[in-house]
Amino acid sequence: MRLSITGLANTGKTTIFNALTGLDLPTSLYITREMEPQIATVRVPDKRIESLAHIFKPKKVTPTTVEYIDYLGLTKGDVQQNKKVFDFIKEADAIVHVVRSFEDEAVIHPLGGIEPLRDLETVEFEFIFGDLELVTKRLQRIEESRKKGKKPKDEEIKVLLRCKEALESERPLRFVQFNEEEQAILRPMQFLSDKPEVIVFNTDEYMSAEDRQYLIKKAEEYFKKFSPHYEDKVKIISLSGKLEMELSRMTPEEQKEFLSGLGIDEPALNKLIKVSYGLLRFISFFTVGEDEVRAWTIKEGTNAQKAAGKIHSDMERGFIRAEVVGYEEFIKEGSLSSLRQKGLLRLEGKDYIVKDGDIINFRFNV
Ligand SMILES: Nc1nc2c(ncn2[C@@H]2O[C@H](COP(=O)(O)OP(=O)(O)OP(=O)(O)O)[C@@H](O)[C@H]2O)c(=O)[nH]1
Ligand SMILES: [Mg+2]
């Protein structure tokens, strides 16, 4: 799972990337014009895996991970420059869109003053322009090959024209209903405005809760215009990149003390990671034992046999049964053997739909 951090220049993308990854890429008061895209792997924070590790004391603990990309910012109205950025971020499963909401006169703002909602819309429009360019080019190419005598695929043209119409009326594609066949046609196009998105208002650390709520509410209103169910595709949060970066440099003890002073139980970055995970409809199941306690990522709705395949293809092929217990149930009892004795370890077949937090032991035979 890969997430691209994007937004206008100087919104704090690299600051947030550093906080997420523990890296130390240079940030600056000026707009970055040149940089190589940076990719880094981040562990998904999950208190459940910590508790399981505490119980099983395994040799190894393996959480799930997510990849983040940091690259140049987008420029209002510069389709060519933005295309360079889009060409790289279009591979991502989702976008983390950072919107500057902090005041600092020393940090140049490409559009002048601090106006988070204007900036939010500006970037959404750049996604739309970028996609419109892609659709138009694709339709031209189809037309050219038609002239050369190649029979065009009517289905593709139909769905591309629907995209074009939506984009021309400034509607992001993520809010257009496509059936499964249409989605399959569109997937290789990797449209930006079709990607799920987390909006991150990067605020001053001392911004009041009311002011943060106001920004979030305004952004909700903006997305609600497109769909009352916009939350299926867009999540909106706020954090302070600068504060998160400082937090990420502390030892766990210092972090705890600092956060409890603020009356918060975990860094806002954890929320960002979790929200993105949920947005992409990913869930985790666990395997446990003395050797390893491990979290595995699957798409919501995956059945037990497919989930086994995440671990090893032999397990999928030779799948017999899954022994399953939910995380909460397990914690109440505290041991697998007593659950087994009480008959609380469920035996599930290959079609069982795995739930978030399931602890699973697969039985298989090869
Ligand atoms: N006050 C304040 N300053 C911040 C915050 N986040 C970032 N900055 C500052 O804003 C400036 C730009 O931050 P970067 O992280 O380089 O921003 P960027 O979006 O990566 O910038 P480009 O890559 O040039 O587009 C730096 O001087 C940061 O220290 C924040 O939450 N509060
Ligand atoms: Mg940067």
Side-chain angles (χ1 to χ4, degrees), residues 206-216 238:
Y206 45 80
M207 186 186 265
S208 70
E210 288 77 30
D211 287 350
R212 286 168 196 258
Q213 272 317 312
Y214 176 79
L215 283 177
I216 291 176
S238 77

Side-chain angles (χ1 to χ4, degrees), residues 13-15 26-27 32 35 70-72:
K13 299 179 296 298
T14 303
T15 304
T27 63
T32 313
M35 85 180 261
D70 181 35
Y71 195 32
L72 299 171

Side-chain angles (χ1 to χ4, degrees), residues 108-120:
I108 291 173
H109 191 302
L111 302 183
I114 309 301
E115 246 186 80
L117 296 158
R118 170 205 58 196
D119 295 355
L120 168 69

